[in-house]
Amino acid sequence: MNTLIFRTVAPFLTALMILFSIFVLLRGHNEPGGGFIGGLIAASAFAIYGIAFGVQAVRRALWFHPMSIAGAGLMLSCLSGLISAAFGVPFMTGLWIYPNVFGVEVPLATVMSFDVGVYLVVVGAITSIALALEEREND
């Protein structure tokens, strides 16, 4: 399935899917969605890009090894839970801060950092599996 049309459309489709995955990640804090489904969408985008251009092109586009991305996400998720324990509340209790950025109050929560960590874990793990399968298929 390495046609000219597919190779032409794949970069646009990949970019659109990654943007949509970030939208789903950010939307999931208050509505359906979140880190898991957003990560699956992003990993699917990298799989499509890998089918069109090969595994090496995806590895160059990612900058980091996919399992390093998953490890960073796991660490971020764990730290999100430990922050609440450091403040004397139960583990994984959501905490909010409201810093002013350029005069605008921006609510930041440990819930969101946990979702971003889940997103990175899913992107890293599923992309790593997809790349391994694509490498095996090309041998």
Side-chain angles (χ1 to χ4, degrees):
M1 188 163 147
N2 199 5
T3 65
L4 177 64
I5 295 171
F6 183 60
R7 281 183 281 142
T8 304
V9 172
F12 300 108
L13 184 60
T14 301
L16 184 65
M17 287 177 72
I18 289 174
L19 283 174
F20 182 65
S21 76
I22 293 170
F23 167 75
V24 169
L25 166 69
L26 296 175
R27 178 179 182 250
H29 180 66
N30 295 321
E31 296 178 21
F36 186 79
I37 191 66
L40 287 177
I41 294 168
S44 300
F46 290 126
I48 288 172
Y49 195 78
I51 292 168
F53 295 104
V55 173
Q56 291 306 319
V58 176
R59 292 193 190 280
R60 282 192 305 271
L62 281 178
W63 294 341
F64 299 105
H65 191 278
M67 291 310 290
S68 297
I69 296 170
L74 185 60
M75 186 167 45
L76 180 62
S77 293
C78 289
L79 285 174
S80 297
L82 291 175
I83 288 173
S84 60
F87 281 96
V89 293
F91 181 70
M92 295 296 285
T93 300
L95 300 174
W96 283 261
I97 59 170
Y98 300 93
N100 282 323
V101 179
F102 302 114
V104 176
E105 187 176 69
V106 179
L108 297 176
T110 56
V111 176
M112 191 65 208
S113 62
F114 178 79
D115 261 352
V116 170
V118 170
Y119 177 87
L120 293 174
V121 167
V122 172
V123 167
I126 301 300
T127 300
S128 181
I129 292 168
L131 293 179
L133 290 173
E134 288 178 21
E135 279 178 340
R136 192 162 208 4
E137 183 179 295
N138 291 335
D139 288 342

